[in-house]
Amino acid sequence: MTTEEKLKHFQDICMEDARERSAKMLDDYMNALEKAYEEHTADARRRADMQVEAETEKLEREINKRLSIGQLDLKREFSRRQEELKDKLFVELRDMLANYLETQDYQKLLERQVQHAVEFAGTDQVIIYLDPVDEDKCNRLALHNGNAELRISEYSFTGGTRAVIPARHILIDNSFQTKLEEAREKFHFDLSLTEGGNGHV
């Protein structure tokens, strides 16, 4: 083998070795790049997922906050409307009561209340107070209940009677004012819906 052939052979071996090393380095570099790309992509996906989750939670909190505020506003409006309706209802009730005070049934009711207080007191003294509007009924009630001490109250209590038994520290309150106050306090709207979808009281 001539020197030129030897050089050519050496050159071929060197070139082959260089090509193999170059190919291996290129493969290693490509593998490193692919791994770095996959890690970067996975990290980007993770960050994107975390951001989407954070934004979703933020939106849900905002929606829940707005819903809560809306529900509170509705409840306030609902309560306000209920109070308005209750006011109207009790104004009408007071009007009806004013008409009732002019009837014979009311006179009979007073007689029953006075009689009941006298019977309840037994032998003890009983003082029965009438509303100032019922001053005209006092004499007639006294005639039917001789044992009762009837007085006209200084303050109006919208009709009915209040009886005091001093010896037993008992107050029998049959005044319409107290009855109305108790009724108003206990009154509530029944909001259950009928089949037709109409609420009833």
Side-chain angles (χ1 to χ4, degrees):
M1 188 180 282
T2 65
T3 304
E4 271 186 31
E5 287 174 338
K6 284 181 183 178
L7 280 172
K8 176 81 171 98
H9 179 66
F10 180 71
Q11 185 182 0
D12 289 344
I13 289 172
C14 284
M15 288 299 288
E16 184 63 32
D17 184 55
R19 274 194 291 274
E20 285 177 5
R21 283 187 190 182
S22 176
K24 187 176 183 312
M25 285 172 65
L26 188 60
D27 284 347
D28 289 347
Y29 183 67
M30 287 301 291
N31 287 337
L33 277 178
E34 282 179 11
K35 188 177 178 185
Y37 174 74
E38 285 171 7
E39 286 175 357
H40 176 74
T41 304
D43 187 51
R45 277 203 194 101
R46 241 188 338 269
R47 275 184 283 134
D49 289 345
M50 286 170 65
Q51 190 172 356
V52 167
E53 191 177 335
E55 288 296 322
T56 303
E57 286 176 3
K58 184 179 172 185
L59 280 172
E60 284 176 354
R61 282 196 302 272
E62 186 64 27
I63 288 167
N64 287 337
K65 182 180 172 185
R66 289 185 184 183
L67 279 173
S68 295
I69 291 169
Q71 285 175 336
L72 281 173
D73 288 344
L74 281 174
K75 282 181 183 174
R76 280 193 209 103
E77 179 63 17
F78 181 71
S79 294
R80 189 181 67 78
R81 290 286 173 95
Q82 273 194 324
E83 283 304 309
E84 282 178 7
L85 287 173
K86 194 189 280 191
D87 288 344
K88 286 180 183 175
L89 183 66
F90 277 85
V91 165
E92 287 180 22
L93 189 58
R94 284 180 182 277
D95 289 344
M96 291 170 69
L97 188 58
N99 292 331
Y100 175 70
L101 296 180
E102 304 300 321
T103 66
Q104 282 297 318
D105 287 338
Y106 176 59
Q107 176 72 38
K108 289 174 186 173
L109 174 71
L110 289 178
E111 289 172 8
R112 284 196 304 274
Q113 287 182 355
V114 170
Q115 185 180 355
H116 173 265
V118 169
E119 288 171 1
F120 185 81
T123 57
D124 293 325
Q125 178 199 17
V126 59
I127 304 166
I128 298 169
Y129 291 92
L130 298 175
D131 191 279
V133 297
D134 295 325
E135 189 170 0
D136 60 327
K137 300 174 181 73
C138 188
N139 291 335
R140 182 173 172 179
L141 288 167
L143 285 173
H144 289 88
N145 297 279
N147 296 340
E149 183 182 337
L150 295 172
R151 296 183 187 173
I152 303 301
S153 172
E154 292 179 27
Y155 309 100
S156 174
F157 43 79
T158 326
T161 60
R162 284 181 174 157
V164 178
I165 304 172
R168 289 192 259 167
H169 305 288
I170 291 175
L171 168 67
I172 303 170
D173 191 348
N174 285 317
S175 67
F176 288 167
Q177 178 179 322
T178 300
K179 302 292 183 196
L180 282 169
E181 286 169 1
E182 287 172 356
R184 186 178 173 89
E185 190 177 327
K186 291 176 185 174
F187 180 85
H188 71 281
F189 288 94
D190 182 0
L191 299 175
S192 58
L193 297 177
T194 60
E195 193 175 328
N198 297 318
H200 58 279
V201 178

